Structures are given as structure tokens and as C-alpha cells.
Amino acid sequence: MSSSPHIFEATMENFQQEVMEASSTTPVLVDVWAEWCAPCKQLMPLLEKLANEYQGAFRLAKVNADQQEQLTSSLGVRSLPTIILVKDGQAVDGFNGALPESEIRKVLEKHIELPDEDPYEKAHRLWGEGDVDGAMEILSEMNQKDPENLKVLIDLAQLKAESGDIETAEQVLESLPPEEKLQHQAKQLAARIKFLRQSAELPPVKDLEMALEQDPKDPDALHLLALHHVLQEKNAEAMELLIKLMQVDSKYKDEVAKTTLVELFEKLGNGNPDVRTYRRKLYTLMH
């Protein structure tokens, strides 16, 4: 059970007071779920994240369908998960199944005002949801207000690179003070630009996969397919291919497999579990 003050267990005994009556002052999102329900387990972390993000603008009531059969039946639940938004003692909205976070937000935003969100955090949230234009607009405004904020500047350059404006991203990178170029975020940007530059020369994925079917030890195919995976953020797959390339020919193209692996390690950071796994594999190969 979550320790958050915005999340609680709803039962037949407390439902009237904690949900129906309490919703007159604070909306309540009712989540009817079960342990055996895979979509329920997929959805629950998103609902808990949003309940905490909204900072009490709504409360999340979790109803265990197996333990609260009478309550579940009285709510007219026919499938799991079932989500019901209660406001002023009435069910005003809801949905069934595991929706993506962006769709859940749309449901909430129709009825509940989101507390002021930190602009930088909002930009990263939009970025993560795929709204590159929205993230870029916020970061551009922040950059105009505070041009010396290098964290915002590098993020903006990263977005420019991902949107295809590699020249602007490179200009930003070159404009950074020497000590800033050594920071993790700047190294991530440099690696991303390098991979994007290489992408224009890559053969199609299908051609490379066919080449590896014919010869699993084809060093060119291993290297180029790994670069495709890097560009698609399939980092574990990329690192696996690079390790295979080192096993096939560690000296290939001036040890490009090792160099690319190290660049990926820097890009992802030591906290990434894949980095820890493949760093150990690289160490084993080299010793």
C-alpha cells in the first residue's frame, strides 16, 4: 500500500464517507483492480504518479476487486481495470483498460486543475511523451529569460538535433565553455550528434539483418546495425551487437566497437543497468 497521503484503500465500509462525501471538496479517482490483472498492474503506477503530481488536487481510491466484491458489484464494474472519477458525489468520467499516461491526463484535465508545474520538469514530461514542439517551446522561453542556464541550453540543442537541425546543435556544443564540454549532458549531446551524422550513410535495417542471416560474423553489418539501434534508442540491442563485433574482430576500424561502447556508456550514465551489464562484458573481453 502506498504511503502517499493522496492514495488510500477504499472499502465498502469507508466508500460513502471517503469517496462520495469527500468528493464534494476533493475529486476522487477510483481504481478497481485485482492482483491477477496484468493491465491493472500496468496502470496503477501511472495513476499513483499522477496522484502525487497533482499534489492533492484529487485523491486516488484503490478498490481490490477480489477483496471488495460487494463494492465492486455495486459500482457496476464489468471488466478490470475500471476507473471512475467521482466529483461532488457523482461519477463524472472514467474509462476501462490501461490507457497511456497522455490519455489519462486528458481525462483528468477536463475536471481537475493541475497545480503549477515546474517549467523544466514540464518540458521533460512533454519530451518524454513525444511532444517535441511543446518541450522546445518551453525550453526556448527559459533560454530567452536565462541564456546562461547551460542545462536548458544543452537540452534545447538535444531537441534541435533530434528534430534534424544538427547544425544548430553543433553550434551550441561548440559554444560551451571547455569545462562544460566535459559534463555528462554535453557528452551525451556530442555522442548523439555523431550518431545522427552517421545515420545518413546507413544502409536499410532489413539489408543489414539479411547480411547477418547469411553471415552472423559480418563486421560491417554488425557495426552498422548497432548504429541503427543507437539512433532508435535501442541501447541494449546496440551494445549486444558491439560486443559481438569485438568478439569477431576487436581491431575492426581502429577498435570502433570499443569506442562506440564507451561513448554509449557516457551517454547513458553509470546508473543505467544496461551500462553496468555491458561494461562488465567489455571488461571481460579486454582481460
Side-chain angles (χ1 to χ4, degrees):
M1 180 64 188
S2 172
S3 59
S4 170
H6 313 307
I7 302 169
F8 67 99
E9 195 80 25
T11 65
M12 193 68 189
E13 290 71 30
N14 70 5
F15 195 84
Q16 179 62 34
Q17 180 178 354
E18 295 293 332
V19 176
M20 303 306 291
E21 294 176 12
S23 70
S24 62
T25 55
T26 303
V28 181
L29 192 68
V30 180
D31 172 22
V32 188
W33 67 285
E35 284 286 353
W36 47 263
C37 169
C40 296
K41 293 184 176 181
Q42 178 184 349
L43 180 65
M44 190 176 292
L46 295 179
L47 298 180
E48 292 179 350
K49 172 190 172 185
L50 290 167
N52 289 315
E53 182 181 316
Y54 268 71
Q55 303 171 29
F58 77 88
R59 297 187 74 205
L60 176 62
K62 295 159 72 171
V63 177
N64 187 317
D66 291 333
Q67 296 177 3
Q68 301 294 326
E69 293 182 5
Q70 185 179 354
L71 177 55
T72 300
S73 177
S74 69
L75 293 173
V77 173
R78 297 181 180 276
S79 63
L80 297 180
T82 289
I83 311 301
I84 306 167
L85 181 60
V86 182
K87 190 175 183 180
D88 296 323
Q90 301 289 329
V92 296
D93 213 331
F95 58 89
N96 300 102
L99 295 184
E101 183 178 334
S102 58
E103 294 300 314
I104 301 172
R105 286 183 181 277
K106 290 178 183 178
V107 173
L108 294 173
E109 288 167 0
K110 288 190 292 183
H111 308 280
I112 305 166
E113 185 175 348
L114 179 68
D116 290 339
E117 188 176 6
D118 178 81
Y120 188 74
E121 292 181 1
K122 183 177 181 180
H124 272 261
R125 174 174 63 78
L126 293 175
W127 191 349
E129 292 172 359
D131 185 358
V132 173
D133 291 339
M136 193 175 297
E137 182 178 351
I138 294 171
L139 290 171
S140 296
E141 291 177 2
M142 293 181 69
N143 177 246
Q144 289 174 5
K145 292 177 182 177
D146 184 9
E148 301 302 316
N149 189 328
L150 297 179
K151 183 169 67 171
V152 170
L153 184 63
I154 293 173
D155 277 350
L156 197 55
Q158 184 91 357
L159 277 172
K160 290 283 187 182
E162 292 184 8
S163 301
D165 189 355
I166 300 175
E167 287 74 16
T168 298
E170 285 182 323
Q171 289 170 10
V172 170
L173 188 62
E174 288 302 315
S175 71
L176 295 175
E179 63 275 14
E180 288 298 327
K181 291 181 182 180
L182 300 176
Q183 298 299 316
H184 174 65
Q185 204 174 7
K187 287 183 176 180
Q188 280 188 320
L189 176 58
R192 185 67 177 169
I193 289 172
K194 177 180 178 181
F195 290 131
L196 287 169
R197 283 289 187 197
Q198 291 172 327
S199 69
E201 304 169 4
L202 294 179
V205 171
K206 288 185 178 180
D207 291 354
L208 297 171
E209 290 175 339
M210 287 179 61
L212 287 175
E213 284 181 10
Q214 296 173 5
D215 180 6
K217 295 184 178 181
D218 182 335
D220 291 327
L222 287 168
H223 178 220
L224 297 175
L225 187 55
L227 293 180
H228 266 296
H229 286 327
V230 169
L231 293 167
Q232 296 167 15
E233 301 292 340
K234 296 179 179 178
N235 296 303
E237 291 91 334
M239 288 187 276
E240 183 65 27
L241 287 171
L242 292 167
I243 289 292
K244 288 181 180 177
L245 176 54
M246 285 198 67
Q247 292 169 334
V248 170
D249 183 359
S250 62
K251 303 299 182 182
Y252 173 79
K253 288 192 175 179
D254 296 324
E255 300 185 334
V256 69
K258 175 186 171 183
T259 302
T260 307
L261 278 167
V262 171
E263 288 174 347
L264 274 173
F265 297 159
E266 291 181 347
K267 172 177 178 284
L268 299 172
N270 291 329
N272 186 293
D274 290 330
V275 168
R276 294 195 294 270
T277 297
Y278 286 97
R279 194 186 293 276
R280 286 194 297 269
K281 290 187 178 183
L282 177 60
Y283 179 85
T284 301
L285 284 174
M286 294 176 62
H287 292 83

